[in-house]
Amino acid sequence: MTVPTNPFDSRTILDGIRQWVEIETPTEAPDQINQLVSLVSEGYRGLDAVVERVSGRDGCGDHLIARSGWGQQEPGILILSHLDTVHPIGFLRRLPFSIDGDVAFGPGIYDMKGGAYLAYHAFRHLCLTGKRSPLGITHLFVSDEEIGSPTSRVLIEEEGRKAKYVLVTEPARDGGRIVTGRKGVARFDVTIRGVPAHAGARPQDGRSAIRELANVIHALEALNDLERGITVNVGVVRGGTRPNVIAEEAYAEVDARLPTPADAEEIVPKILGLTSRSEGVSVEVTGGVNRPPYVKGNAGAALFEHARSLAEEIGFELVDTITGGGSDGNFTAPFTATLDGLGVDGKGAHTHYEQMYISSIEPRTRLLHRLYQTLR
Ligand SMILES: [Zn+2]
């Protein structure tokens, strides 16, 4: 293999991203994911890297781990990416890969095939030049991030604990911002059981689960505290059978975002402890924290400062932000310095107008490459 003249040429990199985008990979289509995993793993052929494929389970696709042939005995750099997207099969027809000026469209192009590809490209370039980085590099591609990483979490935590630094290729946001903090994510299911009755003939015999659900919704909504960044959202409700039947059952699905561990300790028990205010009606809440809050620790702050100075050398300003969106970075940040949002800039994650900015390809690939070269 030869080393290209501009190894960070954005059109060449975009061609590679396009190939990844054109294999549709919804989390629940393991065969599709595995097809992409095969393509990704072929890319390491002939390089000083060892590829390990972890078989998928529970309906999810395979995970892929690519390790540099050097530096694996000591804590090194872990790159975290996901290959799954939220878009169903066939979405590519609605949002085909296309280019309009500086914008490239496609399902998952921004979240996060673009970013995963940049880190992959930078690592392959490092191998091609034969200049080993001071630390070993491990790139983990998981197949189930979009549903909360149920089959990859253990792997992420295991690799995260071994690493000295974790770089996450989730998309940049709000004009190229990098992420040094993420709110914790908690999920809950509420099940309410009442007593059914004929709504017209025997209303006095009924105990409405839906009426109690209204109380529960009010109690949950009251936990919102935008000033502290605490959000509680009742996103799904179901219940009842017919208009003339007092509802026997009702359900709600709840999402909570909690900026700090202390917030989680305060809010989670309040949600789990919700009780019924209606006689004869029961309220049962299950769930809890799915991704712990990721707060910028000392090591994370130093890692960000280092990345900021590298970006300055490359010619762009790196600004950090805290986001309410969870990622696999939440799993590693409690114990290893983690920098997230290193992927491409763009907008419209999870939508029919998902897009990335082509101009963000070269500087961000260079940044990843420089991080590999300089972290020690
Ligand atoms: Zn993502």
Side-chain angles (χ1 to χ4, degrees):
M1 270 180 253
T2 52
V3 181
T5 39
N6 175 7
F8 304 109
D9 173 60
S10 56
R11 289 289 155 168
T12 313
I13 294 173
L14 188 58
D15 278 344
I17 295 172
R18 175 181 190 157
Q19 285 188 40
W20 287 20
V21 166
E22 290 188 336
I23 300 176
E24 294 188 282
T25 53
T27 317
E28 48 289 327
D31 295 346
Q32 292 286 118
I33 303 242
N34 292 349
Q35 202 182 318
L36 178 55
V37 167
S38 297
L39 176 69
V40 176
S41 77
E42 273 164 32
Y44 296 99
R45 195 174 293 161
L47 300 180
D48 186 8
V50 180
V51 174
E52 184 189 335
R53 199 164 168 151
V54 181
S55 294
R57 60 179 166 89
D58 304 336
C60 292
D62 296 350
H63 311 302
L64 184 73
I65 312 171
R67 300 181 203 277
S68 60
W70 65 90
Q72 293 293 337
Q73 297 73 31
E74 279 159 32
I77 301 170
L78 173 68
I79 307 153
L80 273 184
S81 302
H82 65 84
L83 293 177
D84 62 325
T85 77
V86 297
H87 304 292
I89 295 285
F91 202 80
L92 194 59
R93 283 198 298 275
R94 185 171 179 200
L95 182 66
F97 177 89
S98 65
I99 296 171
D100 181 9
D102 187 39
V103 178
F105 295 89
I109 201 165
Y110 172 59
D111 182 12
M112 62 141 76
K113 288 180 178 174
Y117 193 91
L118 302 192
Y120 159 87
H121 182 88
F123 173 69
R124 290 172 72 239
H125 175 64
L126 196 74
C127 293
L128 284 172
T129 55
K131 295 193 187 97
R132 294 179 162 191
S133 53
L135 298 179
I137 295 174
T138 300
H139 196 162
L140 170 58
F141 299 87
V142 306
S143 64
D144 60 352
E145 193 273 345
E146 293 292 1
I147 57 165
S149 309
T151 71
S152 61
R153 180 173 180 167
V154 170
L155 202 58
I156 292 163
E157 288 176 341
E158 214 174 83
E159 294 295 331
R161 280 184 195 278
K162 278 196 271 175
K164 187 166 181 187
Y165 304 102
V166 179
L167 307 177
V168 189
T169 62
E170 287 289 352
R173 52 203 68 227
D174 307 331
R177 284 169 190 263
I178 205 157
V179 176
T180 51
R182 286 183 182 272
K183 293 179 186 178
V185 183
R187 286 284 167 84
F188 303 91
D189 289 312
V190 183
T191 306
I192 302 172
R193 287 194 180 84
V195 180
H198 190 300
R202 300 287 301 174
Q204 66 275 30
D205 295 347
R207 300 286 180 272
S208 171
I210 289 181
R211 191 187 139 105
E212 182 54 29
L213 176 60
N215 290 334
V216 166
I217 292 170
H218 276 297
L220 287 166
E221 290 286 332
L223 295 171
N224 277 290
D225 189 338
L226 290 184
E227 217 156 277
R228 286 170 62 194
I230 294 169
T231 60
V232 178
N233 180 52
V234 182
V236 179
V237 293
R238 287 188 304 275
T241 51
R242 286 174 178 281
N244 57 356
V245 178
I246 291 181
E248 183 177 12
E249 291 192 323
Y251 309 90
E253 292 175 35
V254 183
D255 176 290
R257 304 284 159 138
L258 309 157
T260 69
D263 296 330
E265 270 165 47
E266 178 193 330
I267 300 297
V268 171
K270 283 188 181 166
I271 296 177
L272 288 174
L274 280 173
T275 50
S276 174
R277 296 187 209 171
S278 317
E279 198 208 316
V281 182
S282 69
V283 172
E284 188 195 322
V285 187
T286 57
V289 172
N290 168 279
R291 288 191 167 107
Y294 156 12
V295 284
K296 185 168 164 184
N298 292 336
L303 177 56
F304 170 69
E305 279 310 314
H306 179 65
R308 206 177 55 79
S309 68
L310 294 176
E312 211 170 84
E313 280 170 30
I314 295 165
F316 69 104
E317 195 192 353
L318 202 63
V319 181
D320 72 329
T321 187
I322 288 170
T323 166
S327 93
D328 286 337
N330 290 62
F331 293 138
T332 61
F335 43 83
T336 304
T338 298
L339 202 54
D340 200 341
L342 285 159
V344 292
D345 197 3
K347 66 176 180 187
H350 300 193
T351 72
H352 62 280
Y353 57 88
E354 181 164 353
Q355 58 190 262
M356 60 165 279
Y357 306 142
I358 298 168
S359 53
S360 71
I361 291 178
E362 182 165 345
R364 294 204 161 239
T365 312
R366 285 186 185 279
L367 175 61
L368 285 157
H369 184 246
R370 289 292 291 148
L371 282 165
Y372 302 165
Q373 284 182 322
T374 58
L375 284 175
R376 49 184 73 241

